Amino acid sequence: MTSVLLALSALVGASALTAPAAVAAPQTGRPAAVQTAVPAGWEVVRGGEVAALNGGADGKRSSALQGPAAQNLTAQDLTEQGSDADELSLIAMQSVRNERFVATEKTYPAPNTGALRARSAEYGGSWEGFAFEWDETTETYALRSLANDLYVAVEKNFTGSSQNLLRARSTGVGGWERFVVYYNAELDRWALQSTLNGLFVAMENGYTGSLQYALRARSAEIGGSWEEFVLYDLGA
């Protein structure tokens, strides 16, 4: 299965662009635990490279995004709503493991309100949309849900099976809401690493119940499809 980052308005005829350059030295804006942990075969993605990396389209991926584009939200709209990001990209995320799109469960009751789950068979709109906001100072991304206009946090203080759950619940961005994004050119796949605990985001394919397919920052390495995602550009 070939994974790609595709522009919603240009799913057919997209051509592969140059992968981001490898980071030669640790980035001073990131915590030490993250600075020293660039996995072999993966590269750190910086700034607008999330939206710039387009892979070759194929039929399977081309038919995946047929719904409305993030309720017609644009990067300018989000900036006017209060984003302090240096650069912003509108993205849909699809788990490589189960081929489902990540949605924000904004109607879940507390304490899991806003939980992120890879549970949608197709992209349907804002529930499956996110703004990836690049911060030049920390050289990290914040993820802002288009479903509830809140930032995604890693719930480090949760216990049990929901520890380190990703939830769109924050009105601002701090250490709990920052991520390093990685790209693997050979696999054409993407991964997220929390700067809060230095762990990679995994999709809990083996869970049952309301948190089945939940996203958690719990993996010490990118071990395979559980930690890998396809990214689609919604803003083009």
Side-chain angles (χ1 to χ4, degrees):
M1 178 176 63
T2 301
S3 52
V4 292
L5 171 59
L6 298 175
L8 183 60
S9 62
L11 288 171
V12 178
S15 60
L17 300 184
T18 304
V23 176
Q27 302 298 317
T28 57
R30 302 190 189 113
V34 175
Q35 289 179 24
T36 58
V38 179
W42 295 79
E43 300 175 81
V44 176
V45 178
R46 304 179 74 254
E49 289 174 331
V50 164
L53 287 167
N54 295 314
D58 60 46
K60 186 174 185 180
R61 298 307 178 194
S62 297
S63 63
L65 297 178
Q66 298 299 327
Q71 292 188 346
N72 297 319
L73 283 173
T74 67
Q76 181 179 358
D77 292 333
L78 290 173
T79 300
E80 291 173 353
Q81 291 173 18
S83 171
D84 293 325
D86 296 310
E87 297 184 61
L88 186 150
S89 303
L90 302 184
I91 298 294
M93 301 169 57
Q94 184 182 35
S95 168
V96 172
R97 177 65 180 180
N98 68 0
E99 297 188 345
R100 292 178 178 269
F101 287 90
V102 176
T104 299
E105 299 292 2
K106 67 177 184 179
T107 61
Y108 268 22
N112 294 326
T113 310
L116 268 57
R117 292 202 307 134
R119 56 80 166 164
S120 299
E122 60 185 18
Y123 172 76
S126 64
W127 285 58
E128 292 83 24
F130 298 89
F132 275 48
E133 301 184 2
W134 170 254
D135 178 67
E136 189 69 36
T137 301
T138 61
E139 296 187 314
T140 61
Y141 284 91
L143 279 59
R144 187 173 174 184
S145 170
L146 303 187
N148 62 8
D149 199 31
L150 296 175
Y151 289 98
V152 175
V154 174
E155 297 294 2
K156 184 178 181 179
N157 291 339
F158 277 16
T159 59
S161 59
S162 60
Q163 186 176 37
N164 297 325
L165 178 70
L166 268 61
R167 284 206 307 139
R169 56 80 162 167
S170 300
T171 57
V173 180
W176 293 53
E177 292 82 22
R178 295 211 174 275
F179 298 86
V180 178
V181 177
Y182 293 88
Y183 177 71
N184 186 306
E186 182 177 356
L187 298 175
D188 199 8
R189 295 175 181 176
W190 305 74
L192 303 175
Q193 184 182 29
S194 167
T195 65
L196 177 66
N197 60 12
L199 299 177
F200 292 94
V201 174
M203 189 279 292
E204 299 294 0
N205 192 65
Y207 274 21
T208 59
S210 62
L211 289 182
Q212 186 178 34
Y213 309 140
L215 269 58
R216 292 201 304 137
R218 57 82 164 162
S219 298
E221 59 185 13
I222 305 172
S225 60
W226 291 57
E227 292 84 21
E228 296 169 357
F229 296 89
V230 182
L231 299 188
Y232 293 86
D233 181 11
L234 305 178

Short mmCIF file of all heavy atoms in Angstrom, two decimals, residues 4-7 14-20 45-56 87-91 141 183 188 190 231-234 236:
data_model
loop_
_atom_site.label_atom_id
_atom_site.label_comp_id
_atom_site.label_asym_id
_atom_site.label_seq_id
_atom_site.Cartn_x
_atom_site.Cartn_y
_atom_site.Cartn_z
N VAL A 4 0.24 8.59 0.55
CA VAL A 4 0.58 9.84 -0.09
C VAL A 4 -0.03 11.00 0.67
O VAL A 4 -1.02 10.85 1.37
CB VAL A 4 0.09 9.89 -1.55
CG1 VAL A 4 0.84 8.90 -2.42
CG2 VAL A 4 -1.41 9.60 -1.64
N LEU A 5 0.55 12.20 0.49
CA LEU A 5 -0.06 13.45 0.94
C LEU A 5 -0.61 14.11 -0.30
O LEU A 5 0.14 14.52 -1.17
CB LEU A 5 0.97 14.35 1.62
CG LEU A 5 0.52 15.77 1.96
CD1 LEU A 5 -0.68 15.75 2.87
CD2 LEU A 5 1.66 16.54 2.58
N LEU A 6 -1.94 14.20 -0.42
CA LEU A 6 -2.57 14.65 -1.65
C LEU A 6 -3.33 15.95 -1.43
O LEU A 6 -3.94 16.16 -0.39
CB LEU A 6 -3.57 13.60 -2.16
CG LEU A 6 -2.98 12.24 -2.52
CD1 LEU A 6 -4.09 11.28 -2.88
CD2 LEU A 6 -2.02 12.37 -3.67
N ALA A 7 -3.30 16.83 -2.43
CA ALA A 7 -4.13 18.03 -2.41
C ALA A 7 -5.55 17.64 -2.78
O ALA A 7 -5.76 16.92 -3.75
CB ALA A 7 -3.58 19.06 -3.39
N ALA A 14 -1.16 14.57 -9.50
CA ALA A 14 -0.17 15.11 -8.56
C ALA A 14 1.15 14.41 -8.79
O ALA A 14 1.22 13.23 -9.07
CB ALA A 14 -0.64 14.89 -7.12
N SER A 15 2.24 15.15 -8.64
CA SER A 15 3.56 14.58 -8.85
C SER A 15 4.37 14.64 -7.58
O SER A 15 4.19 15.52 -6.75
CB SER A 15 4.29 15.33 -9.97
OG SER A 15 4.43 16.69 -9.62
N ALA A 16 5.28 13.68 -7.42
CA ALA A 16 6.09 13.61 -6.21
C ALA A 16 7.06 14.78 -6.17
O ALA A 16 7.69 15.12 -7.15
CB ALA A 16 6.86 12.29 -6.19
N LEU A 17 7.16 15.39 -4.97
CA LEU A 17 8.11 16.47 -4.77
C LEU A 17 9.26 16.00 -3.91
O LEU A 17 9.25 14.91 -3.37
CB LEU A 17 7.40 17.66 -4.10
CG LEU A 17 6.23 18.27 -4.88
CD1 LEU A 17 5.70 19.49 -4.14
CD2 LEU A 17 6.67 18.67 -6.28
N THR A 18 10.24 16.85 -3.80
CA THR A 18 11.43 16.50 -3.04
C THR A 18 11.11 16.33 -1.57
O THR A 18 10.40 17.14 -0.99
CB THR A 18 12.49 17.60 -3.19
OG1 THR A 18 12.75 17.78 -4.59
CG2 THR A 18 13.77 17.21 -2.47
N ALA A 19 11.62 15.28 -0.94
CA ALA A 19 11.41 15.05 0.49
C ALA A 19 12.18 16.07 1.29
O ALA A 19 13.16 16.64 0.81
CB ALA A 19 11.88 13.64 0.87
N PRO A 20 11.74 16.35 2.53
CA PRO A 20 12.44 17.35 3.34
C PRO A 20 13.87 16.93 3.64
O PRO A 20 14.16 15.75 3.80
CB PRO A 20 11.59 17.42 4.62
CG PRO A 20 10.89 16.10 4.65
CD PRO A 20 10.63 15.73 3.22
N VAL A 45 10.14 16.98 9.53
CA VAL A 45 9.45 17.88 8.62
C VAL A 45 9.34 19.25 9.26
O VAL A 45 8.99 19.37 10.44
CB VAL A 45 8.04 17.34 8.30
CG1 VAL A 45 7.29 18.30 7.38
CG2 VAL A 45 8.14 15.96 7.67
N ARG A 46 9.65 20.28 8.50
CA ARG A 46 9.68 21.63 9.03
C ARG A 46 8.77 22.55 8.21
O ARG A 46 8.69 22.44 6.99
CB ARG A 46 11.10 22.20 9.02
CG ARG A 46 12.12 21.34 9.75
CD ARG A 46 13.52 21.93 9.69
NE ARG A 46 13.63 23.10 10.57
CZ ARG A 46 13.68 24.35 10.12
NH1 ARG A 46 13.61 24.60 8.82
NH2 ARG A 46 13.79 25.35 10.97
N GLY A 47 8.09 23.45 8.89
CA GLY A 47 7.33 24.51 8.25
C GLY A 47 6.33 24.02 7.24
O GLY A 47 5.58 23.08 7.46
N GLY A 48 6.31 24.67 6.07
CA GLY A 48 5.33 24.36 5.04
C GLY A 48 5.55 23.07 4.31
O GLY A 48 4.82 22.76 3.37
N GLU A 49 6.55 22.29 4.71
CA GLU A 49 6.83 21.03 4.01
C GLU A 49 5.69 20.03 4.16
O GLU A 49 5.54 19.13 3.33
CB GLU A 49 8.13 20.41 4.53
CG GLU A 49 9.37 21.17 4.09
CD GLU A 49 10.64 20.63 4.73
OE1 GLU A 49 10.57 20.10 5.85
OE2 GLU A 49 11.70 20.77 4.11
N VAL A 50 4.85 20.15 5.19
CA VAL A 50 3.72 19.24 5.32
C VAL A 50 2.81 19.36 4.11
O VAL A 50 2.42 18.38 3.49
CB VAL A 50 2.93 19.50 6.63
CG1 VAL A 50 1.56 18.84 6.58
CG2 VAL A 50 3.71 18.96 7.82
N ALA A 51 2.47 20.59 3.74
CA ALA A 51 1.58 20.80 2.61
C ALA A 51 2.29 20.65 1.27
O ALA A 51 1.66 20.38 0.25
CB ALA A 51 0.94 22.17 2.70
N ALA A 52 3.63 20.82 1.25
CA ALA A 52 4.37 20.82 -0.01
C ALA A 52 4.67 19.43 -0.52
O ALA A 52 4.93 19.24 -1.70
CB ALA A 52 5.68 21.59 0.17
N LEU A 53 4.65 18.42 0.36
CA LEU A 53 5.02 17.07 -0.06
C LEU A 53 3.83 16.33 -0.64
O LEU A 53 3.01 15.80 0.08
CB LEU A 53 5.60 16.29 1.13
CG LEU A 53 6.99 16.72 1.56
CD1 LEU A 53 7.32 16.13 2.92
CD2 LEU A 53 8.01 16.30 0.54
N ASN A 54 3.70 16.33 -1.94
CA ASN A 54 2.61 15.64 -2.61
C ASN A 54 3.12 14.38 -3.28
O ASN A 54 4.11 14.42 -4.00
CB ASN A 54 1.97 16.55 -3.67
CG ASN A 54 1.32 17.76 -3.06
OD1 ASN A 54 0.61 17.65 -2.08
ND2 ASN A 54 1.60 18.93 -3.62
N GLY A 55 2.43 13.26 -3.07
CA GLY A 55 2.82 12.02 -3.71
C GLY A 55 2.00 11.78 -4.96
O GLY A 55 1.00 12.43 -5.21
N GLY A 56 2.42 10.80 -5.76
CA GLY A 56 1.68 10.46 -6.96
C GLY A 56 0.31 9.88 -6.61
O GLY A 56 0.17 9.05 -5.74
N GLU A 87 3.23 29.12 9.96
CA GLU A 87 2.66 28.54 8.75
C GLU A 87 1.59 27.55 9.17
O GLU A 87 1.68 26.91 10.20
CB GLU A 87 3.73 27.83 7.92
CG GLU A 87 4.81 28.76 7.40
CD GLU A 87 5.79 28.04 6.49
OE1 GLU A 87 5.36 27.53 5.45
OE2 GLU A 87 6.96 27.99 6.83
N LEU A 88 0.57 27.41 8.33
CA LEU A 88 -0.58 26.58 8.68
C LEU A 88 -1.02 25.77 7.48
O LEU A 88 -1.12 26.29 6.37
CB LEU A 88 -1.71 27.49 9.18
CG LEU A 88 -2.98 26.86 9.74
CD1 LEU A 88 -3.58 27.78 10.80
CD2 LEU A 88 -3.99 26.64 8.62
N SER A 89 -1.28 24.47 7.69
CA SER A 89 -1.75 23.58 6.64
C SER A 89 -2.99 22.84 7.12
O SER A 89 -3.04 22.40 8.27
CB SER A 89 -0.67 22.56 6.26
OG SER A 89 0.53 23.19 5.87
N LEU A 90 -3.99 22.70 6.25
CA LEU A 90 -5.19 21.95 6.58
C LEU A 90 -5.02 20.51 6.11
O LEU A 90 -4.76 20.26 4.93
CB LEU A 90 -6.42 22.58 5.92
CG LEU A 90 -6.69 24.04 6.27
CD1 LEU A 90 -7.99 24.51 5.62
CD2 LEU A 90 -6.75 24.23 7.77
N ILE A 91 -5.17 19.57 7.04
CA ILE A 91 -4.76 18.18 6.80
C ILE A 91 -5.84 17.21 7.25
O ILE A 91 -6.53 17.43 8.25
CB ILE A 91 -3.46 17.87 7.59
CG1 ILE A 91 -2.31 18.77 7.11
CG2 ILE A 91 -3.08 16.39 7.48
CD1 ILE A 91 -1.86 18.53 5.70
N TYR A 141 5.04 21.35 15.59
CA TYR A 141 3.68 21.57 15.12
C TYR A 141 2.69 21.46 16.27
O TYR A 141 2.87 20.67 17.20
CB TYR A 141 3.29 20.53 14.06
CG TYR A 141 3.90 20.75 12.70
CD1 TYR A 141 5.12 20.16 12.36
CD2 TYR A 141 3.26 21.53 11.75
CE1 TYR A 141 5.68 20.36 11.10
CE2 TYR A 141 3.81 21.72 10.49
CZ TYR A 141 5.02 21.14 10.18
OH TYR A 141 5.58 21.33 8.94
N TYR A 183 8.73 12.25 8.22
CA TYR A 183 8.35 11.72 6.92
C TYR A 183 9.36 10.67 6.48
O TYR A 183 10.57 10.87 6.65
CB TYR A 183 8.30 12.85 5.89
CG TYR A 183 7.98 12.40 4.47
CD1 TYR A 183 6.72 11.94 4.14
CD2 TYR A 183 8.96 12.43 3.48
CE1 TYR A 183 6.42 11.53 2.84
CE2 TYR A 183 8.68 12.03 2.18
CZ TYR A 183 7.41 11.59 1.87
OH TYR A 183 7.13 11.18 0.59
N ASP A 188 6.76 6.66 1.98
CA ASP A 188 5.80 7.73 1.74
C ASP A 188 4.74 7.76 2.84
O ASP A 188 3.54 7.78 2.58
CB ASP A 188 5.16 7.60 0.36
CG ASP A 188 4.53 8.91 -0.10
OD1 ASP A 188 4.72 9.94 0.58
OD2 ASP A 188 3.83 8.89 -1.13
N TRP A 190 3.97 9.06 7.24
CA TRP A 190 4.20 10.12 8.20
C TRP A 190 4.04 9.60 9.62
O TRP A 190 3.33 8.62 9.85
CB TRP A 190 3.21 11.27 7.95
CG TRP A 190 3.24 11.79 6.55
CD1 TRP A 190 2.73 11.19 5.43
CD2 TRP A 190 3.81 13.01 6.10
NE1 TRP A 190 2.95 11.96 4.33
CE2 TRP A 190 3.61 13.08 4.71
CE3 TRP A 190 4.47 14.05 6.74
CZ2 TRP A 190 4.05 14.16 3.94
CZ3 TRP A 190 4.90 15.14 6.00
CH2 TRP A 190 4.69 15.18 4.60
N LEU A 231 -1.18 11.44 5.06
CA LEU A 231 -1.67 12.81 5.23
C LEU A 231 -2.23 13.32 3.90
O LEU A 231 -1.62 13.14 2.86
CB LEU A 231 -0.56 13.74 5.72
CG LEU A 231 0.09 13.43 7.07
CD1 LEU A 231 1.01 14.56 7.48
CD2 LEU A 231 -0.94 13.16 8.16
N TYR A 232 -3.38 13.99 3.98
CA TYR A 232 -4.01 14.59 2.82
C TYR A 232 -4.09 16.11 3.03
O TYR A 232 -4.54 16.56 4.08
CB TYR A 232 -5.41 14.04 2.59
CG TYR A 232 -5.46 12.58 2.21
CD1 TYR A 232 -5.47 11.59 3.18
CD2 TYR A 232 -5.51 12.20 0.87
CE1 TYR A 232 -5.53 10.25 2.84
CE2 TYR A 232 -5.58 10.86 0.52
CZ TYR A 232 -5.59 9.89 1.50
OH TYR A 232 -5.64 8.57 1.16
N ASP A 233 -3.70 16.86 2.03
CA ASP A 233 -3.74 18.31 2.10
C ASP A 233 -5.14 18.80 1.71
O ASP A 233 -5.56 18.60 0.57
CB ASP A 233 -2.68 18.89 1.17
CG ASP A 233 -2.63 20.41 1.20
OD1 ASP A 233 -3.25 21.02 2.08
OD2 ASP A 233 -1.96 20.96 0.32
N LEU A 234 -5.85 19.44 2.64
CA LEU A 234 -7.19 19.93 2.39
C LEU A 234 -7.21 21.38 1.92
O LEU A 234 -8.25 21.89 1.50
CB LEU A 234 -8.05 19.83 3.66
CG LEU A 234 -8.15 18.47 4.32
CD1 LEU A 234 -8.98 18.58 5.58
CD2 LEU A 234 -8.76 17.45 3.36
N ALA A 236 -5.40 23.01 -0.46
CA ALA A 236 -5.02 23.44 -1.82
C ALA A 236 -6.25 23.54 -2.73
O ALA A 236 -7.28 22.95 -2.47
CB ALA A 236 -4.03 22.45 -2.41
#
